[in-house]
Amino acid sequence: MKKVVSILWLAGAIILSLGGVAGFIILFAPGMNVFWIILSPIIIAVYQIPAVVVYSLWKKRYKKNTQTPSSQK
């Protein structure tokens, strides 16, 4: 994988992660109560799913393209 494309995948994952946190803050922080505090880890995890998917795709492609010729059989 080219270095520029690799950096773009990683930057996309970071942007999606920050967007998930920002979305949580915008939607749930103004009306925070005990119920939302209890559910907040689950809600944040759901908002982080796109970032995790992009990161895992990047990681899989990065490992595939950086294998040494001796390890490929």
Side-chain angles (χ1 to χ4, degrees):
M1 183 181 320
K2 295 181 181 179
K3 188 169 182 150
V4 173
V5 176
S6 178
I7 291 171
L8 288 175
W9 275 92
L10 198 55
I14 292 169
I15 290 170
L16 286 171
S17 178
L18 292 174
V21 171
F24 172 79
I25 291 171
I26 290 169
L27 292 175
F28 293 100
M32 190 63 75
N33 57 23
V34 174
F35 178 72
W36 293 119
I37 290 173
I38 293 170
L39 289 179
S40 65
I42 297 168
I43 296 169
I44 291 174
V46 169
Y47 281 123
Q48 294 298 312
I49 289 173
V52 171
V53 169
V54 170
Y55 179 76
S56 66
L57 288 173
W58 169 78
K59 191 173 175 182
K60 186 186 312 181
R61 290 181 182 180
Y62 184 76
K63 280 186 179 180
K64 181 177 139 185
N65 291 328
T66 58
Q67 289 179 344
T68 59
S70 62
S71 65
Q72 295 176 351
K73 293 182 181 180

